[in-house]
Amino acid sequence: MRLMEKIVGRANMMAAYQRVMANKGAAGMDRMTVEQLQPYLKEHWPRIREELLEGRYRPQPVRGVEIPKPGGGMRQLGIPTVVDRLIQQAVHQVLMPLFDPGFSKACTASVRGAVRTMRCWPRERMWLRGDASSSTSIWRSSSTG
């Protein structure tokens, strides 16, 4: 199966749809909300799927908004359309396991400034460190369970 066929496969797209719906988020340039996504896809999904499979799909422009920075000033934020967020999520779900197969679903990672944190179950922490007894790691680890 070709990669794009896996990306647009029903199970992957349904999982991506659920994730986008759960994340909610603001509307993009087209002003479509997540609540409007399902009716839109019922009408337009065959065309979008075909464009993706044929390499003709082009994302819509990103809506720019400014949000305040904690230390003062403003930060530019780009908001993709809900359809483009759906496609991004579907691509992510297929590519992430290929590029980072050691990253377990039991782990979460975050980066705040220069500090990286990783929360995993003990087995994944041992894998990330290379062995159970090592206290050195690229990631600062803490267990959530």
Side-chain angles (χ1 to χ4, degrees):
M1 177 182 287
R2 289 181 32 220
L3 200 55
M4 189 54 78
E5 289 169 350
K6 191 170 184 176
I7 289 168
V8 299
R10 181 169 175 74
N12 188 55
M13 291 306 302
M14 292 302 291
Y17 175 82
Q18 293 300 321
R19 185 68 179 257
V20 168
M21 293 302 291
N23 288 343
K24 299 182 184 183
M29 285 292 275
D30 61 359
R31 302 289 183 200
M32 182 188 304
T33 65
V34 291
E35 291 80 17
Q36 296 168 315
L37 181 59
Q38 185 178 26
Y40 180 84
L41 291 174
K42 282 184 179 182
E43 182 178 345
H44 298 281
W45 177 244
R47 174 189 53 80
I48 295 168
R49 183 180 188 279
E50 181 180 317
E51 288 176 3
L52 287 164
L53 288 169
E54 294 176 1
R56 294 184 293 114
Y57 181 83
R58 295 293 174 258
Q60 297 299 306
V62 173
R63 181 168 69 107
V65 297
E66 287 188 339
I67 59 171
K69 291 163 82 174
M74 299 298 276
R75 173 177 296 143
Q76 185 72 26
L77 181 69
I79 303 173
T81 65
V82 68
V83 172
D84 288 339
R85 289 197 312 258
L86 173 71
I87 294 166
Q88 289 172 4
Q89 181 63 38
V91 170
H92 172 80
Q93 291 170 178
V94 171
L95 294 184
M96 183 63 171
L98 298 175
F99 287 100
D100 200 355
F103 192 77
S104 168
K105 290 181 181 179
C107 296
T108 59
S110 64
V111 177
R112 290 191 183 255
V115 178
R116 296 178 182 177
T117 60
M118 170 78 65
R119 290 181 177 84
C120 300
W121 298 105
R123 180 174 51 91
E124 283 79 12
R125 283 199 325 268
M126 289 179 349
W127 180 86
L128 287 166
R129 286 193 298 241
D131 68 57
S133 62
S134 172
S135 62
T136 60
S137 174
I138 296 172
W139 300 91
R140 299 189 96 177
S141 302
S142 64
S143 178
T144 59

